[in-house]
Each structure stands twice: as structure tokens, then as C-alpha cells.
């Protein structure tokens, strides 16, 4: 039970030990509770509530303070006791505040449910009746993503740690799990809160005090929170490195990220070119986490995966400060150089099978590999042609794919051939979806860490769909730049006897 709760009948503070029934919690952005200001002398934040919160009834409306608004909500939902930080934590008592921050995950995790305030959500009064399927409402996923609640760090911790949530808008409310029909999986409790999924949401969010970025995140991982000292005077950069190091030691899925995709719209900002009519605007996007100097393995330059909780059994790594040291096998083209890559790949493509061969048959262009000390031939799939002859539209796609694959495997005319799809079996794999944070350059060396295998154990789209991290060599160290997706046998690389190496990623 929390130290204090608010009794909603009179909005008085009572000791949690004196309450012998359940309670609810409030999840909101401080900006919704009034004007937030910072004391320039102490650096502490405080709010000014001018009672401008509006409650609309069927026949009238009235303005109330934030406490009055909460009391009315609790009356509507028949909530007798509620916890929220502004009343239940003495903001002027640093010792009490730090102690409560350490237990925030317990406060929300033990509550019956959390009320998430999103006043940006509103429906037309004549659009639906008393109940409606929220996922049918046009553009409501964008309203959710654009809400202040979705931009704050503490609300992420509150959403993940709460057993269930009620999302409250201006004139509607919904259980959080009903929102999973939208393009938001945050409220979906069937997914474990692994590092990749949490960081996807965390890296776009902000906090009034930058230290709260770490304190809120650490509360999602209670074992990590035990090792974090709540002190707002400690160096924020050192605190960040400490947290991400502890997280990586717990969950290497921190490496499971890709290039920006959803962030392009989630983090969108508009700026004017200064014209008087203000009509010409450029659309940009800003990812909050990039304000910090973090190692590449934190995914600071990318976007983690949110929809599928990729997991791995890989354990052969250590973390020391800014360095993530990984020992595993890797796939790279040691022979690759600029002259070879500038050659005409089109001339290397073998003739397509005659018509009598492809009638009713699918063909795949493959790169044949003969791994040393392995009796099994391996095939890397390049391009599929379905029950037709190859045409002019196929060639640019094949050339692009070969150019990409040449970063990781040696490609020669003699090891390219067309194979019927039913020949592929377990000896073939497709390397696709190179989702990296920067363009691949022929002058650089890239490696696929095939020894680090991420699989979706909960909700696989395909039975043999996997992800591997990709690193780029930079001097004596390596930079983590994203992942690639492989489709095929998850034991494909096992007997290739690729040499294990130690990669120091920074």
C-alpha cells in the first residue's frame, strides 16, 4: 500500500496503512494540471492552478481546479481512494520524494487500475451512442500518438506497470486493452516488457527533469531500479550510461533496432522559413533521446521494435561503461573492395531457364556458398520469379540485392544460379530487410552478427523469421547500425564454422 492516498469524498490525504480496500492511480502529464514553472533559485518545478479545468454536464458547465476535476472523475467511476504524485508525494521533502520514486512501480502495479488523462481525445456527440468500437474512429490513433500523455516519460512507466488502464478523453473513455486494435501495442499486456519494446516508446518521450528519464525507465525494470541511486544532482551523462549498461546486461534485445520509420511521423515538427505569411513550412522530426551522447548499441540513432518481442538466448557478452563486448560468429565479405563492387552485376546474372522449365514453376536466383570444413552447400536467396520468365523490371532489383549482399558474402559469376523453389529446402536462407541507420558504403566493412539470433517467441509472423544485429567497423571498434531479417532455417549458420570474433561496440 502506498504511504499516502487521497480520499476522494473530501480530497483529503490519508495514510495508506489506514485504508483496507483497493485504490486506483492517476496517469497524466503535469502540464494538464496547471501552468508548470521552474524556480530559478532552487531548480524545482511547481504549478499554478487557476481553476480553468472545465467540466461539461448535459445542461451546464463549470470551471474547477485540477483537484476538483479528479474528484469529479472519481465520482463518475466510483473510486473511493486514488493515488497521484502531486498530492501523495511531498514535493518539498527530497528524502520522501526519492523513497517514493524507488517504489513507483509497486504503487502502479498494485493498484486496481490507472486513469490515463488524454483530453485530446474527443468524439462528436452524434457520432456514436453510449458505447462504440474505438478502433473504428478515424484518425484516433494519431490523436493518441499526438497527445501530451504519449510524450511524457513517467506515463510510460505507469502504463507498463499498471495491470489495466482506463483512457479518459474529453467526452469518452475506454479500457486501454481496447486500443490495441489501433497501431499502438503499448496497452497490450500479452507482450513482455523487453528492452527493445520499452525503448521504442521511451526514446521519443521527455521529462521536465532530465534525470527522470532514467528514474522512470528504471522503474519498469525493478531489479535495475534497486541499483540506481535517486539523486538529481548526479551527472546525467554518467547516470544514462549506468542505466543503459545495466539494461544491456539484463536484456541484449537492446541491439534489436532499425532505421527510423514510425518515428518520422511520431516525432514530426514543423518550422517556418520566416516568411511573413507563414505559409511555407518545412516538416522535420526530432527524436528526444538524440539529445544525449550515448553509445551506438543503445539504439540512440535508430528505432527499436515495438510490435514483436524479439528474444535471444545469447549470453556471450559483457558491458563496461560505453563498451559492449560481444563474442560470436559473424558474416562479412573479407574480399570486398571498391573495384569489385563497381563491376556490372547485370553481366554476372546467369541465363534464365527455358520456358519448358518455368511453366508452372517458381525460380529463385541464389548465391551458392561452399563453407570450409562443411559438407553442406548453402544457398543465399537473391530474387524470386513466380511462374513466368525474367523481364526488364527484375534486373534492377537483382542488381540492388547483389550489391547489398556483396557487403557480407563474396559474389562471383560462378556461384550464381537459378534454382526451382522446391529445391531450396533447409539449405537456403534469405537475407532481407537490411534496416540500418545509415547508408552502406563500399569503402566500409560491415558484419552480420549471425551468432546473435533474435526470434519472436510470442507471436511469430513466420515460423522461421529471425533478426541479427549489423555492425560497422570503425578503427579498433565497431558501431551498431541496426539489424537484418533472415528467413529460413534458424540453424542455417551452425555448421558453416564461421570464426568467432570479439567485437567491441561503442
Amino acid at each position: 500500500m502506498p504511504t499516502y492516498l487521497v480520499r476522494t469524498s473530501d480530497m483529503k490525504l490519508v495514510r495508506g496503512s489506514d485504508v483496507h480496500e483497493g485504490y486506483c492511480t492517476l496517469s497524466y502529464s503535469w502540464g494538464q494540471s496547471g501552468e508548470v514553472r521552474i524556480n530559478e533559485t532552487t531548480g524545482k518545478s511547481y504549478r499554478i492552478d487557476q481553476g480553468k479545468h472545465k467540466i461539461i454536464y448535459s445542461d451546464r458547465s463549470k470551471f474547477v481546479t485540477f483537484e476538483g476535476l479528479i474528484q469529479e472523475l472519481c465520482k463518475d467511476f466510483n473510486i473511493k481512494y486514488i493515488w497521484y504524485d502531486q498530492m501523495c508525494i511531498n514535493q518539498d521533502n527530497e528524502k520522501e520524494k526519492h523513497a517514493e520514486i524507488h517504489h513507483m512501480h509497486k504503487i502502479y502495479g498494485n493498484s486496481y487500475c490507472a486513469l490515463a488523462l488524454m483530453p485530446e481525445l474527443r468524439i462528436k456527440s452524434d457520432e456514436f451512442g453510449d458505447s462504440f468500437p474505438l478502433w473504428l474512429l478515424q484518425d484516433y490513433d494519431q490523436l493518441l500518438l499526438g497527445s501530451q500523455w504519449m510524450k511524457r516519460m513517467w506515463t510510460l512507466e505507469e502504463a507498463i506497470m499498471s495491470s489495466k488502464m482506463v483512457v479518459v478523453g474529453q467526452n469518452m473513455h475506454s479500457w486501454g486493452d481496447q486500443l490495441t486494435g489501433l497501431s499502438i501495442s503499448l496497452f497490450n499486456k500479452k507482450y513482455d516488457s523487453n528492452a527493445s519494446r520499452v525503448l521504442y516508446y521511451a526514446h521519443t518521450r521527455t521529462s521536465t527533469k532530465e534525470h527522470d528519464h532514467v528514474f522512470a525507465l528504471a522503474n519498469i525494470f525493478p531489479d535495475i531500479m534497486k541499483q540506481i541511486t535517486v539523486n538529481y544532482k548526479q551527472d546525467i551523462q554518467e547516470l544514462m550510461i549506468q542505466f543503459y549498461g545495466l539494461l544491456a546486461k539484463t536484456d541484449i534485445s537492446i541491439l534489436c533496432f532499425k532505421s527510423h520509420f514510425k518515428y518520422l511521423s511520431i516525432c514530426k515538427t514543423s518550422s517556418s522559413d520566416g516568411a511573413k505569411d507563414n505559409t511555407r513550412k518545412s516538416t522535420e522530426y526530432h527524436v528526444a533521446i538524440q539529445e544525449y551522447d550515448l553509445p551506438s548499441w543503445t539504439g540512440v540513432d535508430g528505432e527499436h521494435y515495438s510490435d514483436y518481442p524479439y528474444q535471444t538466448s545469447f549470453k556471450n557478452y559483457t558491458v563496461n561503461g560505453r563498451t559492449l563486448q560481444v563474442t560470436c560468429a559473424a558474416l562479412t565479405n573479407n574480399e570486398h573492395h571498391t573495384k569489385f563492387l563497381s563491376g556490372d552485376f547485370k553481366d554476372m546474372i546467369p541465363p534464365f531457364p527455358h520456358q519448358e522449365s518455368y511453366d508452372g514453376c517458381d525460380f529463385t536466383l541464389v548465391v551458392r556458398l561452399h563453407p570450409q570444413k562443411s559438407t553442406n552447400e548453402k544457398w543465399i536467396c537473391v530474387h524470386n520469379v513466380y511462374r513466368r520468365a525474367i523481364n526488364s523490371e527484375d534486373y534492377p532489383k537483382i542488381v540492388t540485392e547483389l550489391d547489398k549482399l556483396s557487403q557480407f558474402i563474396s559474389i562471383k559469376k560462378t556461384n550464381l544460379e537459378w534454382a526451382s523453389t522446391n529445391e531450396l529446402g533447409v539449405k537456403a536462407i534469405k537475407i532481407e530487410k537490411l534496416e540500418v541507420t545509415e547508408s552502406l558504403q563500399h569503402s566500409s566493412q560491415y558484419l552480420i552478427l549471425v551468432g546473435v539470433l533474435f526470434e519472436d517467441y510470442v507471436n511469430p509472423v513466420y515460423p522461421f523469421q529471425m533478426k541479427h544485429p549489423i555492425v560497422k567497423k570503425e578503427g579498433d571498434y565497431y558501431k551498431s547500425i541496426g539489424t537484418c531479417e533472415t528467413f529460413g532455417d534458424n540453424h542455417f549458420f551452425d555448421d558453416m564454422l564461421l570464426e568467432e570474433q570479439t567485437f567491441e561496440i561503442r
Side-chain angles (χ1 to χ4, degrees), residues 145 183 195-204 262-263 266 303-306:
L145 292 173
S183 60
S196 177
R197 181 168 178 260
V198 170
L199 294 182
Y200 166 80
Y201 291 103
H203 282 180
T204 63
K262 292 182 181 179
Y263 281 7
I266 294 174
E303 175 184 319
H304 286 85
Y305 294 95
S306 65

Side-chain angles (χ1 to χ4, degrees), residues 50 78 86 118 133 154 167 186 188 217 239 269 340 402 476:
Q50 297 179 342
N78 194 29
Q86 286 191 24
M118 297 189 197
W154 276 113
V167 174
L186 175 60
N188 196 332
L217 265 178
L239 179 63
T269 60
F340 173 77
L402 287 174
D476 295 331

Side-chain angles (χ1 to χ4, degrees), residues 72-94:
E72 187 70 21
L73 280 175
C74 290
K75 179 181 177 181
D76 290 344
F77 289 109
N78 194 29
I79 297 172
K80 295 181 180 180
Y81 295 95
I82 194 166
W83 185 98
Y84 65 103
D85 55 356
Q86 286 191 24
M87 280 198 70
C88 297
I89 297 179
N90 184 349
Q91 302 295 324
D92 296 323
N93 187 322
E94 292 297 318

Side-chain angles (χ1 to χ4, degrees), residues 65-132:
T65 63
F66 185 65
E67 283 71 26
L69 176 67
I70 300 308
Q71 185 177 30
E72 187 70 21
L73 280 175
C74 290
K75 179 181 177 181
D76 290 344
F77 289 109
N78 194 29
I79 297 172
K80 295 181 180 180
Y81 295 95
I82 194 166
W83 185 98
Y84 65 103
D85 55 356
Q86 286 191 24
M87 280 198 70
C88 297
I89 297 179
N90 184 349
Q91 302 295 324
D92 296 323
N93 187 322
E94 292 297 318
K95 184 177 180 180
E96 177 184 328
K97 183 177 179 180
H98 294 177
E100 291 296 285
I101 286 175
H102 258 292
H103 296 101
M104 205 69 75
H105 59 281
K106 294 180 181 178
I107 292 173
Y108 280 85
N110 292 331
S111 69
Y112 173 71
C113 74
L115 300 183
L117 301 188
M118 297 189 197
E120 295 87 351
L121 296 186
R122 176 179 174 82
I123 61 170
K124 297 178 182 178
S125 58
D126 58 348
E127 193 168 357
F128 292 94
D130 292 335
S131 62
F132 56 90

Side-chain angles (χ1 to χ4, degrees), residues 239-451:
L239 179 63
M240 282 278 196
I241 297 299
Q242 179 194 9
F243 167 76
Y244 280 95
L246 291 170
L247 182 58
K249 289 177 181 179
T250 303
D251 188 355
I252 195 63
S253 75
I254 195 172
L255 284 177
C256 219
F257 62 87
K258 58 183 177 179
S259 54
H260 290 164
F261 179 60
K262 292 182 181 179
Y263 281 7
L264 298 179
S265 57
I266 294 174
C267 306
K268 189 182 298 183
T269 60
S270 296
S271 60
S272 169
D273 64 359
K276 287 184 179 181
D277 60 4
N278 202 29
T279 56
R280 290 179 295 176
K281 291 185 177 181
S282 60
T283 300
E284 302 174 346
Y285 72 101
H286 171 71
V287 183
I289 194 62
Q290 292 183 334
E291 295 179 5
Y292 301 98
D293 178 23
L294 297 175
S296 64
W297 48 264
T298 64
V300 62
D301 296 319
E303 175 184 319
H304 286 85
Y305 294 95
S306 65
D307 296 331
Y308 306 110
Y310 289 100
Q311 300 175 20
T312 181
S313 59
F314 181 78
K315 300 291 183 183
N316 197 9
Y317 68 95
T318 59
V319 184
N320 184 14
R322 297 181 64 89
T323 302
L324 172 65
Q325 185 171 287
V326 176
T327 301
C328 70
L331 188 67
T332 188
N333 183 8
N334 293 318
E335 301 176 3
H336 116 278
H337 51 81
T338 306
K339 184 178 179 180
F340 173 77
L341 288 168
S342 62
D344 189 354
F345 277 115
K346 186 174 179 180
D347 292 339
M348 299 174 61
I349 301 173
F352 195 73
H354 296 295
Q355 181 172 353
E356 58 268 19
S357 299
Y358 66 75
D359 277 349
C361 184
D362 301 335
F363 279 90
T364 299
L365 180 64
V366 299
V367 181
R368 290 186 290 108
L369 302 178
H370 298 280
Q372 293 182 352
K373 300 179 182 179
S374 174
T375 58
N376 298 321
E377 185 179 69
K378 302 288 186 179
W379 290 355
I380 304 291
C381 300
V382 179
H383 183 73
N384 298 322
V385 178
Y386 299 104
R387 302 192 179 188
R388 61 172 173 80
I390 192 172
N391 59 41
S392 59
E393 295 181 358
D394 292 304
Y395 285 106
K397 297 177 182 178
I398 293 174
V399 170
T400 299
E401 191 68 16
L402 287 174
D403 187 45
K404 175 187 73 176
L405 289 174
S406 69
Q407 299 282 357
F408 309 106
I409 58 176
S410 176
I411 298 177
K412 300 175 183 177
K413 189 172 184 177
T414 54
N415 66 350
L416 286 173
E417 74 173 47
W418 290 98
S420 63
T421 303
N422 57 12
E423 292 181 75
L424 299 181
V426 296
K427 66 180 178 180
I429 196 169
K430 186 170 181 59
I431 300 174
E432 57 185 2
K433 286 189 180 179
L434 262 67
E435 298 178 306
V436 291
T437 57
E438 58 184 62
S439 300
L440 301 184
Q441 304 295 323
H442 296 324
S443 57
S444 299
Q445 183 182 12
Y446 303 92
L447 303 94
I448 299 175
L449 304 186
V450 297

Side-chain angles (χ1 to χ4, degrees), residues 464-478:
F464 304 113
Q465 181 174 298
M466 302 148 285
K467 292 191 182 295
H468 299 276
I470 297 178
V471 296
K472 172 186 177 183
K473 187 171 178 57
E474 291 191 341
D476 295 331
Y477 301 98
Y478 293 84

Side-chain angles (χ1 to χ4, degrees), residues 30-38 45-53 65-67 86:
W30 263 51
Q32 297 168 345
S33 64
E35 183 183 354
V36 178
R37 296 182 180 180
I38 302 295
S45 59
Y46 64 98
R47 70 184 176 96
I48 298 176
D49 188 347
Q50 297 179 342
K52 294 183 178 181
H53 302 276
T65 63
F66 185 65
E67 283 71 26
Q86 286 191 24

